[in-house]
Amino acid sequence: MSFLRYLRKINTQLQLPTRLERQFSNAGTKSAILQYEKDPQPQFTDTETQRLLQSMTQMQLDKVFRKRTVPDNDNEIKFMTTEQLENEFVKMIEKAKHQLQMPPVVKVKQDTERIISKDPALKDFQNTKFVFTDITYGLRQSDRKVVVRDVDGTLSYAPLETQKRMNQLYFPLKGRTFHTPRMFSEQEYLQRCLDDHKYEFVLDRLTVQYEPYELDFHQISAQVFQHLNESKEFDQLRSTRHFGPMAFFYAWHHCIDDLLYDMIRRDYLQNAVELIALSYKLHNVPVEFRKTISELDALQPTPEKRALNQLLSSLKSKEEHEGIQQEIQTAIGKAESDFAADEISLKFIEAYIASEHALKKVQLELAVQTLKEINLEKLQLYHGLKKAHGMHAS
Amino acid sequence: MSLSPASGIGRFYKHSAKIIRFVRLGCTNRPFYHIVVMERRKNQHQPVIEQVGTYDPLPNEHNERLVALNTERIRYWLGKGAHMSTPAAELLGISGILPIHPRTYMTAWRNRQAANADQQRQENAEGVATQ
């Protein structure tokens, strides 16, 4: 143990100068808002990425269905048979999945001027321009034609800003305001929200107020994520729809280390592996991660299954033998398969920390070391308890 | 006056003449128009067959006049042989659904003439002042 500590000490001394340099270089970029330099949409909508992001988001039902500040927060009490209840659980999971659907990450839509006709004989026909909106029933907002006749007689499609304004005027979306909320238009109000760590509130409102392809959406969400990366309150967004885009943002901009540290510290090792895998995938790093991911998937259930099992476990009447095993598992918080999964994850994470992609090596190493020690203790306890109950430790 | 649905409550004969026209709503000094389809012979404030749009003639904060048109229904009624009042025809012409109405060209030309005359008068006045 003392040898290890000695090694660690040396390591920190070696790492220190480089770390300082990085901090300084970070300080320069922190003030600037990060942007997607090319279209992130194909990478984001990719099924593999989506699966990784969904798994990272997790599904803590308490959090998904928590009380919100909305008028209708009441719950209904019903008598049901076990079968009905099981069906209801499945429906609940579907609903939770729906609630956790991520807002897409797409590139900023550029405004192009599209002229329909130019008629110089129409110059000065009126002293203001005319905006025509097609209010035909049953069109989608994006399909609705909005055209502008300018004072000089030019007829053209309206710019995006006008189009959005007209759509909101004639077909208002619930929750979206006609005028931009001052929270978004004025920096000091936004800053105050961020300093109070109201990240979810800001992101929810942002999603309602803006379309994902708008520049403001990109800038404000980037600002929120960057602030979040400094305050390290990642747990606030876990099990919300914004966790996926956040992780994607960090992975894209090479700053996953803080999130990774948080995941390791909270013992979400599988998520940590997925985060690293995501960043490898986005930047085409030649490291084989699919094998590790599939191994982990085989060992551990998906978030949906886990949530469903958790719901169903409240129903089951336990048998004697299984009951004790269950009890040991709940007492320790881990099962045999979890320990195996941790082993695989830790190997992968350590390989990442040792590689040149990790920026905060010392911090991560310490976290991994602590986790390992705790895990070892837990494993010993697990075997001890099993032995005490007369079960064979496999 | 209570509001009727956009699909209208006006009764009409199958072969009577229909017209697409404005109905002046709003209040004193604040005009606001509905673009409606109704029987030609009727008064504007009688029940309409269908409302197909709105027109706000006062410019908004962005200096635009807002027009909403239900193009699908307008095309339907035009296909049925509905007439158009001149202001409505002008508006549809400006919007690009129909060819520009001749009267729009006339107003444009007159406005340009008036502006030119104004400019001339000003230049003359300046010339007199400098002399």
Side-chain angles (χ1 to χ4, degrees):
Chain A
M1 232 28 191
S2 60
F3 176 68
L4 257 180
R5 241 173 251 144
Y6 175 61
L7 263 183
R8 221 179 285 154
K9 216 181 193 176
I10 291 175
N11 220 355
T12 29
Q13 279 166 357
L14 283 175
Q15 292 287 325
L16 210 61
T18 51
R19 202 161 59 137
L20 275 180
E21 263 177 37
R22 287 219 175 88
Q23 270 173 359
F24 277 120
S25 65
N26 264 1
T29 53
K30 258 168 203 164
S31 54
I33 295 172
L34 294 172
Q35 279 185 333
Y36 291 103
E37 66 283 358
K38 64 173 201 229
D39 188 6
Q41 183 260 326
Q43 292 272 30
F44 183 77
T45 45
D46 182 55
T47 34
E48 196 185 11
T49 313
Q50 282 292 316
R51 224 189 45 71
L52 291 177
L53 292 177
Q54 274 163 12
S55 178
M56 265 188 266
T57 306
Q58 301 187 1
M59 192 185 275
Q60 299 163 1
L61 292 175
D62 299 349
K63 186 140 185 208
V64 178
F65 297 111
R66 72 194 174 287
K67 285 207 165 183
R68 290 164 192 270
T69 48
V70 291
D72 183 24
N73 236 337
D74 54 347
N75 31 19
E76 201 180 341
I77 295 174
K78 267 189 199 167
F79 283 111
M80 285 182 178
T81 62
T82 315
E83 202 175 315
Q84 281 174 329
L85 201 56
E86 278 169 5
N87 287 338
E88 201 64 25
F89 285 163
V90 175
K91 269 189 217 161
M92 234 39 210
I93 299 291
E94 281 303 309
K95 204 176 160 194
K97 246 167 113 178
H98 185 71
Q99 299 244 29
L100 289 182
Q101 215 168 41
M102 293 171 239
V105 178
V106 294
K107 68 171 175 192
V108 177
K109 201 172 172 182
Q110 295 302 329
D111 212 353
T112 47
E113 201 187 24
R114 288 182 298 158
I115 292 173
I116 301 168
S117 87
K118 267 187 179 173
D119 197 347
L122 219 54
K123 191 172 173 292
D124 287 343
F125 75 100
Q126 276 289 358
N127 50 5
T128 62
K129 56 182 172 184
F130 279 70
V131 179
F132 296 94
T133 313
D134 184 7
I135 54 164
T136 301
Y137 178 75
L139 285 185
R140 286 194 309 186
Q141 291 244 0
S142 51
D143 294 340
R144 225 164 258 296
K145 295 272 183 296
V146 180
V147 294
V148 178
R149 177 73 77 169
D150 234 318
V151 185
D152 61 358
T154 319
L155 185 67
S156 59
Y157 285 106
L160 288 176
E161 176 267 328
T162 312
Q163 211 171 338
K164 186 185 170 192
R165 196 147 47 81
M166 291 302 121
N167 267 325
Q168 180 59 18
L169 182 64
Y170 291 112
F171 302 94
L173 285 181
K174 204 180 160 201
R176 182 181 287 187
T177 54
F178 187 75
H179 296 284
T180 314
R182 295 176 77 187
M183 189 172 110
F184 296 136
S185 59
E186 282 171 49
Q187 188 58 37
E188 56 177 306
Y189 291 106
L190 181 64
Q191 198 57 44
R192 199 188 297 163
C193 285
L194 293 181
D195 290 342
D196 291 347
H197 300 323
K198 292 178 180 169
Y199 300 111
E200 207 199 338
F201 167 68
V202 174
L203 287 172
D204 277 341
R205 197 161 188 202
L206 186 72
T207 324
V208 174
Q209 185 65 32
Y210 293 103
E211 297 293 335
Y213 54 74
E214 283 182 85
L215 182 63
D216 285 338
F217 184 91
H218 278 241
Q219 284 181 340
I220 296 170
S221 61
Q223 205 180 336
V224 174
F225 293 151
Q226 276 168 288
H227 195 278
L228 195 56
N229 202 15
E230 277 163 43
S231 67
K232 317 227 186 320
E233 299 266 338
F234 304 108
D235 201 39
Q236 276 195 22
L237 291 193
R238 194 162 276 123
S239 282
T240 69
R241 53 197 305 217
H242 305 295
F243 195 86
M246 180 188 78
F248 187 81
F249 180 86
Y250 294 146
W252 186 281
H253 293 110
H254 303 277
C255 46
I256 56 169
D257 285 32
D258 285 312
L259 183 56
L260 193 65
Y261 174 72
D262 185 74
M263 280 170 172
I264 295 172
R265 215 168 47 87
R266 286 174 199 278
D267 197 4
Y268 297 138
L269 287 184
Q270 194 188 349
N271 292 352
V273 171
E274 281 155 352
L275 183 64
I276 296 168
L278 178 66
S279 91
Y280 282 164
K281 181 171 181 292
L282 291 185
H283 304 297
N284 292 326
V285 177
V287 176
E288 186 46 56
F289 56 83
R290 291 190 174 83
K291 196 167 144 269
T292 316
I293 295 280
S294 60
E295 274 174 4
L296 285 177
D297 281 344
L299 281 171
Q300 289 190 319
T302 59
E304 291 117 58
K305 272 193 193 142
R306 187 173 294 185
L308 189 62
N309 287 343
Q310 197 192 337
L311 284 176
L312 289 174
S313 68
S314 60
L315 284 181
K316 273 181 195 156
S317 58
K318 295 158 197 159
E319 286 173 31
E320 179 75 7
H321 186 69
E322 209 179 301
I324 290 169
Q325 179 132 10
Q326 200 74 34
E327 227 164 80
I328 294 172
Q329 279 178 18
T330 44
I332 295 173
K334 284 194 176 184
E336 200 108 355
S337 62
D338 292 328
F339 285 116
D342 283 357
E343 198 109 320
I344 299 168
S345 319
L346 279 172
K347 220 164 82 187
F348 189 78
I349 293 167
E350 278 176 333
Y352 167 77
I353 295 171
S355 72
E356 76 276 1
H357 306 293
L359 297 178
K360 301 188 173 175
K361 290 192 182 192
V362 183
Q363 211 181 349
L364 288 173
E365 256 168 33
L366 282 177
V368 166
Q369 202 56 44
T370 327
L371 191 86
K372 265 185 172 172
E373 279 162 24
I374 294 171
N375 250 7
L376 197 66
E377 262 173 44
K378 276 186 180 170
L379 190 63
Q380 279 170 355
L381 190 63
Y382 183 74
H383 285 315
L385 276 176
K386 264 189 131 178
K387 214 173 183 182
H389 283 283
M391 285 184 287
H392 292 290
S394 52
Chain B
M1 196 180 75
S2 61
L3 288 172
S4 55
S7 57
I9 54 169
R11 293 157 66 87
F12 59 99
Y13 291 104
K14 193 176 175 187
H15 294 296
S16 63
K18 319 285 188 311
I19 187 169
I20 299 177
R21 60 168 298 173
F22 290 172
V23 174
R24 190 194 191 280
L25 296 161
C27 59
T28 314
N29 296 328
R30 207 306 171 204
F32 185 85
Y33 297 103
H34 277 191
I35 302 168
V36 300
V37 179
M38 65 195 306
E39 281 196 325
R40 194 184 169 113
R41 63 199 170 82
K42 276 186 181 158
N43 170 294
Q44 63 166 326
H45 293 301
Q46 278 177 291
V48 302
I49 299 171
E50 185 173 352
Q51 185 198 342
V52 290
T54 60
Y55 169 44
D56 185 358
L58 295 194
N60 65 5
E61 57 188 342
H62 302 278
N63 206 24
E64 317 165 318
R65 295 179 201 209
L66 302 185
V67 184
L69 299 171
N70 189 341
T71 49
E72 188 197 350
R73 295 307 291 169
I74 288 174
R75 279 185 287 140
Y76 167 79
W77 281 110
L78 288 180
K80 280 273 205 176
H83 306 176
M84 275 178 294
S85 71
T86 320
E90 272 195 87
L91 204 62
L92 290 181
I94 296 166
S95 76
I97 296 176
L98 295 181
I100 305 262
H101 195 274
R103 212 173 76 172
T104 318
Y105 284 125
M106 271 166 62
T107 12
W109 185 77
R110 281 180 188 153
N111 286 347
R112 287 201 298 271
Q113 291 292 97
N116 276 343
D118 251 16
Q119 210 181 349
Q120 286 271 313
R121 210 174 302 131
Q122 267 182 16
E123 274 168 19
N124 286 343
E126 274 170 23
V128 169
T130 48
Q131 278 172 10

